[in-house]
Amino acid sequence: MVRNSIPMKIGISAVIAVVVVCLAPWFDRGTFAEEVALSQSTIEQAFPTSSKCKRCHERVFEEWETSPLSRSIHSPAFRASLDAFLASPAGKDKAMCFRCHAPHVREFSNQVQLFINQAKAGDPSLDGVACAQCHLIKQVDRTKQPPEPKYELESKTVYGPYKDSVQNRAHQSIELGLFQKSDLCLNCHQSVTSAVGLGKANDLLGNWDQSKAVKSGKECQTCHMPEQVGESANGERKRKVANHTFPGRIGKLRQEAAKLDVKTKIEGENTTVMVKVQSLVPHNLPATHPAWASVVLDLDIKGKNLKTVFTDKRVYGRVYQDAKGQKTSFDFEAVKVLEDTVLKPEEMRIETFTFPTPKDTKTFDVEVTLNYAPITGTTPFLQRVEAESSKGSQDPVFQPVEIVKYAENVAISK
Ligand code: HEC
Ligand code: HEC
Ligand code: HEC
Ligand code: HEC
Ligand code: HEC
């Protein structure tokens, strides 16, 4: 009897310890570290981390992991701009950026500081836009501007595209048409609430719903989550599945962004290159958040010995002005659009370049490229981004990304 009571006692005190730790945040008795761990675990009970889904959805997980979505609160540019935002007058609304970059903050508004600390730490264990952040959305309220997601957190149910989902031990599944509709994406991609100063000008996609592609029945998923055949869950083979790498700036989709039609006319001393830029994108190109996003058309003329004899460019994007009348590359500071050259949905733009016909050569090369431009901003901001990146100045944000390229060798006939 006496011997038996010892383990008994340990048992009870263990139970008491657990109760105390669980109640700690309410009684304010736990250490700070315990509180943080607890609030994070409360968040993760409602929004299980993607690593919980990986076990059974390995393919989807690996695709998502390579996508920009998996780095929505990790990227050096995000962390540096978050700092700038929090230091600005608009930064009083601390949850702002997370409403799209880690949307579960909507359900945990009292935990904003945890989200901020995690993002700032650079290696957050908290998810940004991961599996649960999309698959627990039950409804998107389009009466709100931008539309707002409504989460279902009470049951262990995920929403998805299948009518005939196979049973499993982890969760129930409900088919929801929303998952094959643009509405699901619009709550984050339509317009940015932090750019309030801009009013209506803060629209990222333009008249996308009037485009030929959309009128012919295409949704965001058609292009950005292309259909393939594969495993939906480990062992569930030969299903129609959707690609979760979210091709955009990264991936093959960008080769379908635009067509370049180039005509060169030599008229004695002068040469004219006419470029028809046909956007095939059913929304603005580029989408103008972050505000430095721009696409650049570069012309490069190479004469004798492939030496560049002429260059010029056109920039497609938006230039914003802040309240002090300065140009700014932060939309949360913007009050006015100074210049708007974005390519509108499926727009065709004609650009003409005139330059002196190259000398001492029988031929010359015409090279035209369309690129996503690298990040721009003030020197301190760019230095901050560099410092936040483990790759420093080699971080991909500092490199242009080629969309399409045209090259031709032109003969000068005498
Ligand atoms: C909860 C908000 C949210 C929802 C919902 C959402 N996205 Fe995004 N998306 C983001 C954020 C934030 C990023 C930027 C991630 C980063 O790079 O930091 C992003 C990035 C992307 C990119 C990469 C863009 C690029 O520049 O390469 C694509 C493509 C994309 N999303 C498509 C979609 C599609 C399609 C849907 C609907 C099925 C969708 N997104 C739903 C927030 C969201
Ligand atoms: C309404 C939703 C929304 C809000 C609010 C929002 N973002 Fe974004 N953010 C996005 C989406 C969507 C993308 C991807 C855009 C694209 O690729 O076209 C993105 C991309 C970015 C990027 C480029 C990708 C990266 O991670 O480097 C940065 C930087 C960024 N956002 C910073 C911020 C900051 C800072 C705030 C708060 C001031 C903020 N965003 C608020 C939706 C939002
Ligand atoms: C940005 C929102 C978003 C994120 C993040 C996301 N999904 Fe999806 N997922 C979708 C949409 C939308 C569909 C339906 C696409 C369709 O059918 O056109 C889908 C489809 C699925 C399906 C059905 C089978 C298939 O592959 O199409 C599974 C399973 C799934 N997702 C699991 C996951 C898991 C696991 C993660 C995290 C690793 C994840 N999803 C992240 C939006 C998302
Ligand atoms: C124990 C294994 C297991 C785990 C863990 C698991 N799933 Fe699933 N999930 C499945 C199986 C099996 C299916 C059915 C696949 C099919 O029908 O082809 C499925 C289907 C889905 C679907 C499609 C539902 C539909 O009706 O379209 C989604 C979305 C999904 N899971 C998301 C998740 C998310 C998010 C997580 C992590 C929070 C997760 N799953 C964790 C096994 C699992
Ligand atoms: C007909 C195909 C198609 C449809 C439909 C489509 N897009 Fe795109 N989208 C593209 C192409 C092509 C690009 C440009 C190349 C690239 O970056 O992949 C692009 C680029 C993007 C980018 C990243 C680059 C940027 O300019 O900022 C985002 C984010 C994006 N689209 C979101 C969406 C959303 C949200 C929807 C639904 C409202 C949508 N797209 C519908 C084809 C499409």
Side-chain angles (χ1 to χ4, degrees), residues 68-69 72 100-101 103 184-185 188-189 220-221 224 246-249:
L69 285 165
S72 62
C100 302
H101 285 261
L184 182 76
C185 321
C188 299
H189 283 272
C220 314
Q221 290 88 331
H224 293 288
F246 296 93
R249 269 162 234 253

Side-chain angles (χ1 to χ4, degrees), residues 71-72 75 77-78 81-82 85 96-97 99-101 146 187-189 191-194 249 287 289-290 292 331-332 397:
R71 292 182 292 275
S72 62
S75 91
F78 176 76
S81 354
L82 176 68
F85 171 73
M96 176 64 75
C97 309
R99 280 188 201 115
C100 302
H101 285 261
N187 73 79
C188 299
H189 283 272
S191 58
V192 179
T193 31
S194 44
R249 269 162 234 253
H289 167 79
W292 61 77
D331 46 17
F332 55 81
V397 289

Side-chain angles (χ1 to χ4, degrees), residues 48-51 53-54 60-61 64 127 129-136:
T49 56
S50 49
S51 55
C53 321
K54 181 183 181 186
V60 180
F61 179 89
W64 166 82
D127 273 331
V129 187
C131 322
Q133 283 71 8
C134 279
H135 285 287
L136 296 180

Side-chain angles (χ1 to χ4, degrees), residues 333-377:
E333 283 181 351
V335 295
K336 195 172 157 191
V337 176
L338 284 178
E339 218 180 296
D340 186 346
T341 50
V342 293
L343 295 167
K344 300 283 180 301
E346 297 165 350
E347 181 183 347
M348 201 263 283
R349 191 82 62 92
I350 297 179
E351 307 288 3
T352 5
F353 303 91
T354 304
F355 50 91
T357 306
K359 298 218 163 53
D360 311 323
T361 174
K362 287 187 183 128
T363 67
F364 60 90
D365 287 344
V366 175
E367 283 180 16
V368 184
T369 36
L370 194 67
N371 295 307
Y372 281 108
I375 189 171
T376 56

Side-chain angles (χ1 to χ4, degrees), residues 182 185-186 189 205 208 213-214 218-220 223-224 247-249 253-254 256-257 280-287 372:
S182 301
C185 321
L186 289 174
H189 283 272
L205 300 171
W208 62 279
V214 171
K218 291 191 176 147
E219 307 283 339
C220 314
C223 303
H224 293 288
R249 269 162 234 253
L253 181 66
R254 68 172 188 271
E256 288 164 37
L280 305 173
V281 180
H283 47 75
N284 286 349
L285 181 69
Y372 281 108

Side-chain angles (χ1 to χ4, degrees), residues 28-166:
D28 213 11
R29 268 159 76 180
T31 65
F32 181 67
E34 275 169 345
E35 271 183 50
V36 169
L38 274 167
S39 27
Q40 187 154 348
S41 77
T42 319
I43 295 173
E44 286 168 7
Q45 261 162 31
F47 290 88
T49 56
S50 49
S51 55
K52 292 257 164 63
C53 321
K54 181 183 181 186
R55 183 156 62 93
C56 302
H57 295 289
E58 229 174 318
R59 174 199 54 85
V60 180
F61 179 89
E62 278 164 12
E63 287 176 352
W64 166 82
E65 205 181 20
T66 65
S67 78
L69 285 165
S70 73
R71 292 182 292 275
S72 62
I73 56 171
H74 297 225
S75 91
F78 176 76
R79 286 186 283 119
S81 354
L82 176 68
D83 264 2
F85 171 73
L86 292 173
S88 78
K92 272 184 291 194
D93 181 0
K94 290 183 169 187
M96 176 64 75
C97 309
F98 294 102
R99 280 188 201 115
C100 302
H101 285 261
H104 43 326
V105 80
R106 293 167 184 273
E107 307 290 330
F108 296 96
S109 48
N110 55 342
Q111 300 292 341
V112 186
Q113 199 54 46
L114 176 73
F115 284 75
I116 295 174
N117 295 347
Q118 285 251 343
K120 282 194 171 177
D123 186 20
S125 57
L126 208 65
D127 273 331
V129 187
C131 322
Q133 283 71 8
C134 279
H135 285 287
L136 296 180
I137 297 178
K138 190 183 185 179
Q139 199 201 324
V140 170
D141 182 354
R142 287 205 67 180
T143 63
K144 299 274 166 54
Q145 278 313 317
E148 256 179 31
K150 294 237 180 303
Y151 284 106
E152 166 66 57
L153 304 174
E154 302 308 313
S155 60
K156 270 185 138 189
T157 302
V158 303
Y159 297 93
Y162 293 151
K163 281 194 178 72
D164 53 348
S165 188
V166 175

